[in-house]
Amino acid sequence: MADVAAEKTGTVWHSRRGDRRSTRTLRLRTSAVLLTATVLAVLLVPPLVQLDQQAVDLAAKLEAPSLAHPFGTDDVGRDLLLRCVYGLRVSLLVGVAAALTATVVGTAVGALAGALGGWVDRGVMRAVDTISSVPHLLLGIFVVAVFRPGVWPVVASVALTHWLSTARIVRAEVLSLRARAHIDAAVSGGASRWRVTVRHLLPGVLPQAALAAVLMVPHAMWHESALSFLGLGLPTHTASLGNLIQEARGSLLAGQWWPTLFPGLFIIVPTLAVAGLAGAWRERINPRRRSELML
């Protein structure tokens, strides 16, 4: 009886592990398809659709989705498909630039704090905690208010408010690496702190920093959209996704759903795609996390 029970338990365990693996595979493939579709839309739609995304046609304003306009038109007759694609281009530019900048700053600060330790570590982390106590959106509004509306002020706003989490992750990883035997061996062999940091600590934290950068891209896109929706981000004539949603508020109240739905989907779909791929990446670079998920 015990053998039968053990066999059933093993069968159930393998079945659950197989289900989880198939679920992860499905999630990974779906995320890859969504991200590929997003990239292809950005690259191929503008040359294939021979229309000016700024062309105004008041006779065709607020037309529902059709063959001529798959996403419909906005309140001045502009094609929403092209507007969404160009808006996605701008939002991706802001998201990637802000994520890379924030990752570089956060990695440098976190590595400095973790490698030096002592009062430097305590001072840096207290500064990080102090900045983190201010809401991101409020701090971002303050940064944007200092400059004129534009792409790069928004990039600076998002980057300066989102490097904190990367700094914490990198610091924790550096502290973990410092306790390993090969680091002690390098220090005992006479390697300087700078050499240990550059040759051993930084390469060890790069996978985590790269993962943080990837996950930050959709978050930065949402942040840019929020600022633009509030009228504090990109100029109103720029086709960003936040501006498109902000312009569609009146249409939604009048019953026209497409000017709001499609720009919203262009924010949600890349977010889901990046989150799915980053989750698979996290499981790959963290074996303990992966083994826990397989149980």
Side-chain angles (χ1 to χ4, degrees), residues 149-179:
V151 171
W152 299 115
V154 175
V155 170
S157 169
V158 177
L160 291 176
T161 56
H162 288 76
W163 62 270
L164 307 168
S165 58
T166 304
R168 288 195 179 97
I169 293 171
V170 170
R171 171 185 175 270
E173 193 69 16
V174 167
L175 293 178
S176 175
L177 290 173
R178 283 178 57 184

Short mmCIF file of all heavy atoms in Angstrom, two decimals, residues 149-179:
data_model
loop_
_atom_site.label_atom_id
_atom_site.label_comp_id
_atom_site.label_asym_id
_atom_site.label_seq_id
_atom_site.Cartn_x
_atom_site.Cartn_y
_atom_site.Cartn_z
N PRO A 149 8.18 70.93 -22.11
CA PRO A 149 7.71 69.59 -22.51
C PRO A 149 8.51 69.04 -23.69
O PRO A 149 8.82 69.75 -24.64
CB PRO A 149 6.25 69.85 -22.90
CG PRO A 149 5.86 71.09 -22.16
CD PRO A 149 7.10 71.93 -22.12
N GLY A 150 8.85 67.78 -23.61
CA GLY A 150 9.62 67.14 -24.66
C GLY A 150 10.00 65.72 -24.28
O GLY A 150 9.75 65.27 -23.16
N VAL A 151 10.62 65.02 -25.21
CA VAL A 151 10.96 63.62 -24.99
C VAL A 151 12.02 63.49 -23.91
O VAL A 151 11.89 62.70 -22.96
CB VAL A 151 11.44 62.97 -26.30
CG1 VAL A 151 12.01 61.58 -26.04
CG2 VAL A 151 10.30 62.89 -27.31
N TRP A 152 13.11 64.25 -24.01
CA TRP A 152 14.23 64.05 -23.10
C TRP A 152 13.94 64.50 -21.68
O TRP A 152 14.44 63.87 -20.73
CB TRP A 152 15.47 64.72 -23.67
CG TRP A 152 15.83 64.12 -24.99
CD1 TRP A 152 15.82 64.73 -26.21
CD2 TRP A 152 16.18 62.75 -25.25
NE1 TRP A 152 16.14 63.85 -27.21
CE2 TRP A 152 16.37 62.62 -26.65
CE3 TRP A 152 16.34 61.63 -24.45
CZ2 TRP A 152 16.73 61.42 -27.25
CZ3 TRP A 152 16.69 60.42 -25.04
CH2 TRP A 152 16.89 60.33 -26.41
N PRO A 153 13.18 65.57 -21.44
CA PRO A 153 12.78 65.83 -20.05
C PRO A 153 11.97 64.69 -19.44
O PRO A 153 12.13 64.37 -18.25
CB PRO A 153 11.94 67.11 -20.17
CG PRO A 153 12.49 67.81 -21.35
CD PRO A 153 12.85 66.73 -22.32
N VAL A 154 11.12 64.04 -20.24
CA VAL A 154 10.37 62.90 -19.72
C VAL A 154 11.30 61.73 -19.43
O VAL A 154 11.16 61.03 -18.42
CB VAL A 154 9.26 62.49 -20.71
CG1 VAL A 154 8.56 61.23 -20.25
CG2 VAL A 154 8.24 63.61 -20.87
N VAL A 155 12.28 61.50 -20.33
CA VAL A 155 13.27 60.44 -20.09
C VAL A 155 14.02 60.71 -18.79
O VAL A 155 14.21 59.80 -17.95
CB VAL A 155 14.25 60.35 -21.27
CG1 VAL A 155 15.43 59.44 -20.93
CG2 VAL A 155 13.54 59.84 -22.51
N ALA A 156 14.44 61.97 -18.59
CA ALA A 156 15.16 62.31 -17.35
C ALA A 156 14.26 62.12 -16.13
O ALA A 156 14.71 61.61 -15.10
CB ALA A 156 15.65 63.76 -17.43
N SER A 157 13.00 62.50 -16.27
CA SER A 157 12.06 62.35 -15.16
C SER A 157 11.90 60.89 -14.76
O SER A 157 11.97 60.53 -13.58
CB SER A 157 10.71 62.95 -15.54
OG SER A 157 9.72 62.60 -14.60
N VAL A 158 11.69 60.03 -15.74
CA VAL A 158 11.48 58.61 -15.44
C VAL A 158 12.77 57.98 -14.92
O VAL A 158 12.74 57.19 -13.96
CB VAL A 158 10.98 57.87 -16.69
CG1 VAL A 158 10.83 56.38 -16.42
CG2 VAL A 158 9.65 58.45 -17.16
N ALA A 159 13.90 58.31 -15.53
CA ALA A 159 15.17 57.71 -15.10
C ALA A 159 15.53 58.11 -13.67
O ALA A 159 15.97 57.27 -12.87
CB ALA A 159 16.29 58.13 -16.06
N LEU A 160 15.34 59.38 -13.33
CA LEU A 160 15.73 59.85 -12.01
C LEU A 160 14.81 59.34 -10.90
O LEU A 160 15.16 59.44 -9.73
CB LEU A 160 15.73 61.39 -11.99
CG LEU A 160 16.83 62.05 -12.82
CD1 LEU A 160 16.68 63.56 -12.81
CD2 LEU A 160 18.22 61.65 -12.29
N THR A 161 13.66 58.81 -11.26
CA THR A 161 12.74 58.28 -10.25
C THR A 161 12.70 56.75 -10.22
O THR A 161 12.00 56.19 -9.38
CB THR A 161 11.32 58.81 -10.48
OG1 THR A 161 10.91 58.49 -11.82
CG2 THR A 161 11.26 60.32 -10.31
N HIS A 162 13.45 56.09 -11.12
CA HIS A 162 13.34 54.63 -11.20
C HIS A 162 14.67 53.90 -11.08
O HIS A 162 14.71 52.68 -11.29
CB HIS A 162 12.66 54.25 -12.53
CG HIS A 162 11.21 54.57 -12.58
ND1 HIS A 162 10.74 55.84 -12.75
CD2 HIS A 162 10.11 53.78 -12.45
CE1 HIS A 162 9.42 55.83 -12.76
NE2 HIS A 162 9.02 54.60 -12.57
N TRP A 163 15.75 54.58 -10.73
CA TRP A 163 17.02 53.88 -10.53
C TRP A 163 17.13 53.28 -9.14
O TRP A 163 18.03 52.46 -8.88
CB TRP A 163 18.19 54.85 -10.76
CG TRP A 163 18.21 56.01 -9.80
CD1 TRP A 163 17.63 57.22 -9.97
CD2 TRP A 163 18.89 56.07 -8.54
NE1 TRP A 163 17.87 58.04 -8.89
CE2 TRP A 163 18.65 57.35 -8.00
CE3 TRP A 163 19.66 55.17 -7.81
CZ2 TRP A 163 19.15 57.75 -6.76
CZ3 TRP A 163 20.17 55.56 -6.57
CH2 TRP A 163 19.93 56.84 -6.07
N LEU A 164 16.23 53.64 -8.24
CA LEU A 164 16.35 53.24 -6.84
C LEU A 164 16.21 51.73 -6.66
O LEU A 164 16.99 51.11 -5.92
CB LEU A 164 15.29 53.97 -6.01
CG LEU A 164 15.29 55.50 -6.17
CD1 LEU A 164 14.04 56.11 -5.56
CD2 LEU A 164 16.53 56.08 -5.51
N SER A 165 15.22 51.13 -7.33
CA SER A 165 15.03 49.70 -7.18
C SER A 165 16.22 48.92 -7.74
O SER A 165 16.64 47.90 -7.16
CB SER A 165 13.73 49.26 -7.87
OG SER A 165 13.77 49.60 -9.26
N THR A 166 16.78 49.39 -8.85
CA THR A 166 17.96 48.73 -9.40
C THR A 166 19.14 48.83 -8.44
O THR A 166 19.90 47.87 -8.28
CB THR A 166 18.34 49.36 -10.75
OG1 THR A 166 17.23 49.30 -11.64
CG2 THR A 166 19.52 48.66 -11.38
N ALA A 167 19.30 49.97 -7.80
CA ALA A 167 20.40 50.13 -6.83
C ALA A 167 20.25 49.13 -5.68
O ALA A 167 21.25 48.52 -5.24
CB ALA A 167 20.41 51.55 -6.29
N ARG A 168 19.04 48.94 -5.20
CA ARG A 168 18.83 47.97 -4.11
C ARG A 168 19.15 46.55 -4.57
O ARG A 168 19.78 45.77 -3.84
CB ARG A 168 17.38 48.05 -3.62
CG ARG A 168 17.05 49.30 -2.83
CD ARG A 168 15.72 49.11 -2.10
NE ARG A 168 15.37 50.27 -1.30
CZ ARG A 168 14.54 51.22 -1.70
NH1 ARG A 168 13.99 51.13 -2.92
NH2 ARG A 168 14.26 52.24 -0.93
N ILE A 169 18.68 46.19 -5.77
CA ILE A 169 18.92 44.84 -6.29
C ILE A 169 20.42 44.58 -6.47
O ILE A 169 20.94 43.54 -6.04
CB ILE A 169 18.18 44.64 -7.62
CG1 ILE A 169 16.67 44.65 -7.39
CG2 ILE A 169 18.60 43.33 -8.29
CD1 ILE A 169 15.85 44.67 -8.67
N VAL A 170 21.11 45.53 -7.07
CA VAL A 170 22.55 45.36 -7.32
C VAL A 170 23.32 45.31 -6.00
O VAL A 170 24.24 44.50 -5.84
CB VAL A 170 23.06 46.49 -8.22
CG1 VAL A 170 24.58 46.48 -8.31
CG2 VAL A 170 22.45 46.36 -9.61
N ARG A 171 22.97 46.16 -5.06
CA ARG A 171 23.66 46.14 -3.76
C ARG A 171 23.50 44.78 -3.08
O ARG A 171 24.48 44.21 -2.56
CB ARG A 171 23.10 47.23 -2.86
CG ARG A 171 23.60 47.16 -1.41
CD ARG A 171 22.93 48.17 -0.53
NE ARG A 171 23.32 48.03 0.87
CZ ARG A 171 22.68 47.27 1.74
NH1 ARG A 171 21.61 46.55 1.35
NH2 ARG A 171 23.08 47.19 3.00
N ALA A 172 22.26 44.26 -3.07
CA ALA A 172 22.03 42.95 -2.45
C ALA A 172 22.83 41.86 -3.15
O ALA A 172 23.40 40.97 -2.49
CB ALA A 172 20.55 42.63 -2.47
N GLU A 173 22.92 41.92 -4.47
CA GLU A 173 23.67 40.91 -5.21
C GLU A 173 25.17 41.04 -4.93
O GLU A 173 25.88 40.03 -4.81
CB GLU A 173 23.40 41.07 -6.70
CG GLU A 173 23.86 39.91 -7.54
CD GLU A 173 23.05 38.65 -7.33
OE1 GLU A 173 21.94 38.74 -6.76
OE2 GLU A 173 23.53 37.57 -7.73
N VAL A 174 25.66 42.27 -4.83
CA VAL A 174 27.08 42.47 -4.53
C VAL A 174 27.42 41.94 -3.14
O VAL A 174 28.45 41.28 -2.93
CB VAL A 174 27.44 43.96 -4.64
CG1 VAL A 174 28.82 44.25 -4.04
CG2 VAL A 174 27.43 44.40 -6.10
N LEU A 175 26.56 42.21 -2.15
CA LEU A 175 26.79 41.69 -0.81
C LEU A 175 26.80 40.17 -0.80
O LEU A 175 27.58 39.54 -0.07
CB LEU A 175 25.72 42.23 0.15
CG LEU A 175 25.76 43.73 0.43
CD1 LEU A 175 24.60 44.13 1.34
CD2 LEU A 175 27.09 44.14 1.04
N SER A 176 25.94 39.56 -1.60
CA SER A 176 25.92 38.11 -1.70
C SER A 176 27.21 37.58 -2.34
O SER A 176 27.79 36.58 -1.88
CB SER A 176 24.70 37.65 -2.51
OG SER A 176 24.72 36.25 -2.72
N LEU A 177 27.68 38.26 -3.39
CA LEU A 177 28.90 37.81 -4.05
C LEU A 177 30.13 37.99 -3.17
O LEU A 177 31.07 37.18 -3.23
CB LEU A 177 29.08 38.59 -5.36
CG LEU A 177 28.09 38.28 -6.49
CD1 LEU A 177 28.29 39.25 -7.64
CD2 LEU A 177 28.26 36.85 -6.97
N ARG A 178 30.14 39.02 -2.36
CA ARG A 178 31.30 39.28 -1.49
C ARG A 178 31.53 38.15 -0.49
O ARG A 178 32.66 37.95 -0.02
CB ARG A 178 31.11 40.59 -0.73
CG ARG A 178 31.35 41.84 -1.57
CD ARG A 178 31.10 43.09 -0.75
NE ARG A 178 31.92 43.12 0.45
CZ ARG A 178 31.83 44.07 1.38
NH1 ARG A 178 30.96 45.07 1.22
NH2 ARG A 178 32.61 44.05 2.43
N ALA A 179 30.48 37.40 -0.17
CA ALA A 179 30.61 36.31 0.80
C ALA A 179 31.08 35.00 0.17
O ALA A 179 31.23 34.00 0.88
CB ALA A 179 29.27 36.09 1.50
#
